[in-house]
Amino acid sequence: MMELQIYTPTDDQFITAIEWNYDELKEQLAASLAKYQGLSYAEDEIATMAKKDRANLNKFKKALDEKRLEIKERLLASYVPFDTKIKELQRMVDSVLIGIDVQIKSQELERKQRKIQGILAEYLRTVPERMRVVMPLEKVMDERWKNATYALGTISKELEERQQKTEKEMETIRRLGSQYTTEIMAFYLESLDLGSALAEGQRLEQGARQAREYEARREAEQPPRSQPFPSSPPPPPPPPPPEVEVEDGPLREISFKIYATRRQEKEFGDLVRPWIRRNGIRIVKN
C-alpha cells in the first residue's frame, strides 16, 4: 500500500508556536495608547502635533504587518513546494478516478432505470385504471423505491395501501354534503392530502359565511326606503256635450268654402269633425 512519509522536519522539529514578546509589547502599547484616549487637539495643533501622532501610530502598525508577512513567508517557504507536489499527485489520481467514476455512475443509472421499469410494472399491475388518473405514478412515487435494497414486493404493497386510502378519502369528501364538494375534491386530487383539502373546504365555507354576514349587516344599516306618495286619481273624463235636438225634415245640401292655412285647416277639422259624426251628417267630397 502506497504511503506518504515525511522525513524532515520530524515531529519534534515542527514549529508548534512562535514565541515573541507579545505580552510585554501589548502592555507597552496599551500604556502608550492611553494618552490618546479622549485627546482633543487644539486648532493650531492639528497641522503639527495631530498629524505627527497619526504618522507615528501608522508607522508602528505598518511595522507589525511587515513582521507578520515576513514570518508567514518564512513559514510557507517550505510548505508551498510541498503543497504543489501533493496537488500534482492528486491530479494523477484524479485522471484515473474520472474513468472509474463514469463507469460506476453509468451502471448506477442503468440499475435505477431498470428499477423504475419494475416500479412501473408493479404500478400498472396494482393500481386499477380508474385510479391512475387520480394517483399518477409521478405523484405517488417515493424516492426510496429507487434504492436497490427496496424490494418490488414492498413497493406493490405500499401502492395497494395508498390506493385504498385514496379511495376512502375521496368517499369521505363526497359524504361531506358541502356546497363546495367539487372545489374540495379538486384540491384533494391536486395534493392527495385529505387534511389540506378539508381545511380548504372550511376556508371556502367561512368566506361564504362572512360574505352573507356582511350583506346582512349592510342591508340592516341601510336607511328605510321612503314610500312614494300615492298618485292622485286621474281626473274624470269631461261630460259629453249635450245633444242638440234637430227638427226632423228632408236633407238639404249646404255648400261653403273656407280659406285657411294648413294649421288653421287642421284646427277647424279637429273642432268640426266630432260634431259632424255626433249628428250623423253625411259629407260628400267633390
Side-chain angles (χ1 to χ4, degrees):
M1 181 64 180
M2 294 179 293
E3 181 182 359
L4 173 63
Q5 296 181 353
I6 303 296
Y7 300 127
T8 59
T10 60
D11 291 343
D12 57 351
Q13 292 174 334
F14 272 104
I15 297 177
T16 58
I18 299 176
E19 297 181 359
W20 55 296
N21 63 334
Y22 168 72
D23 293 329
E24 178 185 355
L25 185 59
K26 180 179 180 181
E27 184 178 350
Q28 294 174 358
L29 179 62
S32 178
L33 295 176
K35 65 181 180 181
Y36 296 104
Q37 299 295 331
L39 178 62
S40 178
Y41 295 93
E43 185 176 353
D44 58 345
E45 295 176 333
I46 295 296
T48 56
M49 187 179 298
K51 290 187 177 181
K52 181 179 179 181
D53 291 342
R54 183 180 65 179
N56 289 334
L57 291 172
N58 280 331
K59 181 179 179 180
F60 178 73
K61 181 180 176 183
K62 181 179 179 182
L64 290 175
D65 198 52
E66 288 175 348
K67 181 58 68 173
R68 178 184 66 82
L69 294 175
E70 176 190 346
I71 297 301
K72 179 180 179 181
E73 184 177 354
R74 292 172 62 183
L75 291 174
L76 291 177
S78 59
Y79 170 76
V80 172
F82 171 77
D83 179 71
T84 302
K85 292 176 181 178
I86 287 292
K87 289 180 178 178
E88 179 185 0
L89 297 178
Q90 288 177 329
R91 287 193 294 270
M92 292 172 62
V93 177
D94 287 340
S95 65
V96 176
L97 276 177
I98 292 175
I100 298 174
D101 190 56
V102 168
Q103 295 182 56
I104 292 175
K105 290 182 177 179
S106 176
Q107 186 181 48
E108 180 66 16
L109 180 60
E110 292 178 3
R111 185 199 63 77
K112 284 188 176 182
Q113 290 176 342
R114 290 195 300 270
K115 186 63 177 291
I116 291 175
Q117 291 299 318
I119 295 172
L120 177 60
E122 290 298 325
Y123 172 82
L124 296 176
R125 185 182 65 82
T126 305
V127 180
E129 188 172 358
R130 71 177 187 281
M131 292 296 295
R132 294 173 193 167
V133 177
V134 176
M135 44 179 293
L137 179 58
E138 60 271 15
K139 185 173 288 188
V140 298
M141 170 77 80
D142 190 330
E143 287 298 316
R144 297 176 303 164
W145 295 352
K146 298 178 183 179
N147 296 337
T149 56
Y150 222 96
L152 288 175
T154 304
I155 296 173
S156 177
K157 182 179 179 182
E158 292 182 6
L159 281 169
E160 185 176 357
E161 292 173 352
R162 183 59 186 268
Q163 173 212 330
Q164 294 172 355
K165 177 175 179 289
T166 300
E167 289 186 306
K168 289 180 181 178
E169 291 176 345
M170 292 174 67
E171 184 62 25
T172 298
I173 294 174
R174 294 190 191 97
R175 293 181 179 180
L176 288 176
S178 171
Q179 60 177 322
Y180 299 106
T181 298
T182 302
E183 291 81 356
I184 298 173
M185 184 66 77
F187 191 94
Y188 174 77
L189 295 179
E190 181 66 26
S191 63
L192 294 183
D193 186 334
L194 180 61
S196 298
L198 295 179
E200 176 67 9
Q202 292 175 355
R203 186 189 68 81
L204 293 171
E205 292 178 355
Q206 182 180 5
R209 183 168 57 254
Q210 291 174 343
R212 291 194 297 269
E213 292 174 355
Y214 166 78
E215 289 297 328
R217 287 195 299 268
R218 189 176 66 85
E219 289 291 334
E221 292 172 359
Q222 285 185 347
R225 298 177 180 176
S226 58
Q227 297 294 330
F229 292 104
S231 58
S232 56
E243 295 185 1
V244 180
E245 293 184 2
V246 180
E247 184 179 350
D248 290 339
L251 293 177
R252 294 184 302 165
E253 179 181 348
I254 300 175
S255 299
F256 61 89
K257 290 182 179 181
I258 297 176
Y259 296 91
T261 64
R262 284 184 173 275
R263 180 179 61 78
Q264 292 171 338
E265 180 183 2
K266 180 177 182 304
E267 291 177 355
F268 176 79
D270 292 340
L271 291 173
V272 173
R273 283 193 198 95
W275 180 82
I276 292 175
R277 294 193 189 99
R278 189 165 56 249
N279 290 277
I281 297 173
R282 183 165 61 91
I283 298 177
V284 179
K285 293 183 179 181
N286 294 333

